[in-house]
Amino acid sequence: MNSEKQYIDLYKQCRNMIFSHSADVMNNLRDKAFEAFSRNGFPSKKVERYKYTDVQKMFAPEDYGLNLERLPIQIYPAEIFKCDVPNLSTQLFFVVNDMFYNDTKKETSLPEGVFVGSLCEAAKKYPELIEKYYGKLASSEEDSITALNTMLAQDGLLVYVPRGIKVEQTIQVINVMRSNVDLMTNRRVLIIVEPMAEVKLLFCDHNADKQRFLTTQVIEAFVEDNAHLELYCLEETHRKNVRFSNLYIDQQRNSTVNHNAITLHNGVTRNRTDLVFSGEGSECQLLGCVIADKEQHVDNNTLIDHKVGHCTSEELYKYVLDDKAVGAFAGKILVRHGAQQSYSHETNQNLCATKETRMFTQPMLEIYADDVKCDHGSTVGQLNDAALFYMQQRGISLKEARMLLKFAFLGQVIDHIKLEPLRTRLHMLVEKRFRGELGGCRHCHKCSKSE
């Protein structure tokens, strides 16, 4: 329990400070989360959903600081990060570490009623709304990372789209990690898309400094009847970054969700995605694209719960691993009793460019209904020697041939992205990543070089 003890002691010592800089709706769940964390501790690799990532090692005692006093961070992200995608006009917002950056000078043109901002501020404006949704999907009893985040998160980001509102512009949130010391942050996000509403969200993770960062993130997304959510999550940090992100999605009747998880550069990343079909006629598409080299580690764990019938889920994750990188994918499709007329297709394909890479893949089906169409599969392979030889015979260097094969392998995932400007941008970023460049965003000098 050495890894847990430091966080248990921290909470006991700083509980009043944590409470004083947060909202009642967050504080109401804090002590129960602490009890669950104290009782369960961090999961070991014997726990099925964490068998590929050593959580206790990642959270072992280290000299990470926490900004529990909520001191302002000296940074002006809008001047440093101009991560706008060409031809994709976005509504741009920033989260610095785990604090919403409130730029009072910035004007937005969001439709009336749409809110993007601090969860604590929203709790004052929409107390009943936040009380209704916050913490309802993310269970501290079932997951210790969620419990730790619920214990320590003092603010968060709310994206609220009222009934019938269609947000035409993409909402882009840039998560900026900024510190002059090694830092632990705990981000919380609440997304509410009411009936017949539509929104497109692009979350980008960047590091402004080369310090070590340890991040927990919990996202709860509620997609109501006939609503539509497109959620793109792009990680482009550095090798010292450790991130545990848990995404929980609830879909009501005839809703649609498209989620894209893209890891271009990182240190250790562990993504958990739990999606529940709570209303019939719903559809979801989960896509994942991973590039890892050196000793980077990327673990994606997904669960799609067909709780009711007449729902469709499609899942495609692709990895390209080089050097001594480690990848893991575990995806489970659960079709419950009575969930007839369910359709599900799950695919995980992986390319290992060296003999030193390691890929763990575990696609799973658990079906308790008889009128369904479900299938799953996975592949792990290396670069095709015949294709490499063929390309070299036509004057393409071995290095270029390897890059082109890797790029083509991931093209299927990127081509599924519905936002054309983002799709074009990612094609360029992926190519530059394979050429040994991080591929910083336009006008963004902070993330333009890889370590």
Side-chain angles (χ1 to χ4, degrees), residues 61-94:
E62 298 283 357
D63 293 327
Y64 286 109
L66 287 95
N67 186 11
L68 299 181
E69 285 280 13
R70 316 310 286 165
L71 300 176
I73 307 298
Q74 296 302 315
I75 187 174
Y76 301 97
E79 297 178 6
I80 299 175
F81 287 87
K82 299 184 183 298
C83 298
D84 51 315
V85 178
N87 303 319
L88 178 63
S89 177
T90 64
Q91 291 289 328
L92 193 60
F93 300 89
F94 293 91

Side-chain angles (χ1 to χ4, degrees), residues 242-262:
V242 177
R243 191 189 76 164
F244 284 77
S245 179
N246 290 355
L247 168 62
Y248 301 90
I249 303 174
D250 180 79
Q251 289 190 239
Q252 297 295 326
R253 182 172 54 86
N254 297 325
S255 62
T256 304
V257 168
N258 293 288
H259 172 53
N260 296 259
I262 304 156

Side-chain angles (χ1 to χ4, degrees), residues 91-301:
Q91 291 289 328
L92 193 60
F93 300 89
F94 293 91
V95 173
V96 180
N97 297 335
D98 52 12
M99 298 170 62
F100 179 75
Y101 179 77
N102 189 12
D103 188 351
T104 56
K105 299 179 181 179
K106 183 177 180 295
E107 296 183 3
T108 63
S109 56
L110 292 173
E112 184 177 357
V114 175
F115 182 93
V116 180
S118 162
L119 190 58
C120 287
E121 291 300 316
K124 301 175 184 177
K125 188 175 182 179
Y126 310 105
E128 295 180 359
L129 180 74
I130 307 303
E131 183 71 30
K132 178 181 177 182
Y133 289 104
Y134 181 77
K136 297 301 186 291
L137 294 180
S139 171
S140 295
E141 286 290 344
E142 295 180 4
D143 187 90
S144 292
I145 302 299
T146 295
L148 181 65
N149 180 277
T150 305
M151 281 166 50
L152 299 179
Q154 294 170 279
D155 198 356
L157 174 73
L158 171 67
V159 178
Y160 169 54
V161 185
R163 173 187 290 267
I165 299 295
K166 297 182 180 180
V167 183
E168 298 295 336
Q169 281 187 297
T170 301
I171 296 173
Q172 183 177 11
V173 179
I174 300 179
N175 297 310
V176 182
M177 303 303 293
R178 169 74 175 94
S179 178
N180 55 8
V181 298
D182 296 344
L183 187 70
M184 178 184 183
T185 62
N186 300 281
R187 290 200 300 259
R188 194 77 181 216
V189 181
L190 178 60
I191 302 169
I192 304 169
V193 189
E194 289 192 336
M196 297 174 287
E198 296 182 9
V199 66
K200 297 181 287 290
L201 300 175
L202 171 58
F203 290 166
C204 303
D205 280 20
H206 294 290
N207 288 70
D209 295 295
K210 294 185 178 181
Q211 306 294 335
R212 292 183 306 160
F213 292 98
L214 173 62
T215 300
T216 71
Q217 175 176 267
V218 172
I219 303 174
E220 295 177 286
F222 296 85
V223 188
E224 304 291 353
D225 293 352
N226 299 289
H228 177 69
L229 169 65
E230 289 183 38
L231 177 60
Y232 303 92
C233 297
L234 171 64
E235 183 179 7
E236 201 174 15
T237 56
H238 62 48
R239 63 181 178 84
K240 297 180 182 178
N241 204 76
V242 177
R243 191 189 76 164
F244 284 77
S245 179
N246 290 355
L247 168 62
Y248 301 90
I249 303 174
D250 180 79
Q251 289 190 239
Q252 297 295 326
R253 182 172 54 86
N254 297 325
S255 62
T256 304
V257 168
N258 293 288
H259 172 53
N260 296 259
I262 304 156
T263 305
L264 292 185
H265 203 278
N266 73 311
V268 174
T269 296
R270 204 274 177 176
N271 297 319
R272 168 176 173 160
T273 301
D274 287 12
L275 185 146
V276 178
F277 287 121
S278 296
E280 293 190 349
S282 298
E283 298 179 1
C284 80
Q285 183 180 64
L286 302 186
L287 300 175
C289 172
V290 174
I291 302 173
D293 55 15
K294 300 181 177 67
E295 296 183 353
Q296 294 166 359
H297 179 104
V298 183
D299 178 356
N300 282 291
N301 190 292

